[in-house]
């Protein structure tokens, strides 16, 4: 669709805009993991300056979409576990997991090379426990088994991915 709207120039402009979004996502993910805004800013600049995605943004390739979607999926997957030292409501956790799945689907749908990173990410939603899960199952349930909440979180992530990959698969069936 972008080629019909503005040709190659529109695609390159879209890729450059995605670079800005990538920097914001990386900054937010870093702040979420470290709690330090300066670390987030440094990570954003390092992402823009030290990765091949900056060079690929001037080309008509799907890599900028994929890399931005991968970073966003990781950010939402981490968010689905809740902030450190605090509890997240189950509803919010499921929403973040579905958003992670949706972006994982975008990553894989735009470039199949996203699959090796997104499959383990979605699988981790099934097994990694949040702090709220730990509080409910501490001492009662073996720590290496998934909880009901983690399985639900994983299913929401999988549903988000399938919401994108289903139509992409149907389109590719017709195209190829």
């Amino acid at each position: 669709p972008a080629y019909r709207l503005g040709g190659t120039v529109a695609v390159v402009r879209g890729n450059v805009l995605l670079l800005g979004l990538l920097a914001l996502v990386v900054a937010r993910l870093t702040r979420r993991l470290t709690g330090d805004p300066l670390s987030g800013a440094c990570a954003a600049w390092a992402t823009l300056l030290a990765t091949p995605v900056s060079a690929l943004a001037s080309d008509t390739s799907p890599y900028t979409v994929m890399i931005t979607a991968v970073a966003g999926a990781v950010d939402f997957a981490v968010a689905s576990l809740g902030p450190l030292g605090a509890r997240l409501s189950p509803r919010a956790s499921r929403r973040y997991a579905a958003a992670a799945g949706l972006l994982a689907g975008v990553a894989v749908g735009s470039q199949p090379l996203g699959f090796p990173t997104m499959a383990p990410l979605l699988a981790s939603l099934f097994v990694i426990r949040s702090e709220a899960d730990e509080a409910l199952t501490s001492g009662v349930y073996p720590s290496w088994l998934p909880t009901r909440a983690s399985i639900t979180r994983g299913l929401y992530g999988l549903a988000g991915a399938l919401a994108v990959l289903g139509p992409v698969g149907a389109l590719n069936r017709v195209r190829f």
Side-chain angles (χ1 to χ4, degrees), residues 7-172:
T8 304
V9 173
V11 173
V12 172
R13 283 182 184 158
N15 281 344
V16 171
L17 287 173
L18 282 172
L19 276 179
L21 180 60
L22 175 63
L24 293 173
V25 168
V26 167
R28 188 171 81 167
L29 175 61
T30 304
R31 278 195 317 268
R32 191 183 305 279
L33 292 173
T34 65
D36 182 20
L38 185 58
S39 295
C42 289
W45 279 107
T47 299
L48 292 178
L49 298 175
T51 60
V53 73
S54 297
L56 291 171
S58 63
D59 190 15
T60 55
S61 74
Y63 293 107
T64 311
V65 174
M66 181 194 71
I67 292 170
T68 304
V70 165
V74 172
D75 182 45
F76 280 120
V78 170
S80 75
L81 299 174
L84 293 176
R87 291 189 184 182
L88 184 66
S89 75
R91 186 174 181 192
S93 177
R94 292 189 299 262
R95 269 197 320 260
Y96 283 132
L102 191 72
L103 287 173
V106 168
V108 174
S110 66
Q111 176 52 260
L113 288 174
F115 182 78
T117 56
M118 292 296 91
L121 178 81
L122 291 176
S124 71
L125 290 175
F126 280 96
V127 294
I128 295 177
R129 295 179 178 191
S130 69
E131 291 193 23
D133 297 346
E134 287 297 324
L136 293 174
T137 60
S138 178
V140 178
Y141 201 70
S143 63
W144 51 270
L145 287 175
T147 63
R148 185 177 184 183
S150 68
I151 291 171
T152 303
R153 194 171 33 253
L155 289 173
Y156 270 78
L158 189 59
L162 291 176
V164 174
L165 292 177
V168 167
L171 175 65
N172 283 338

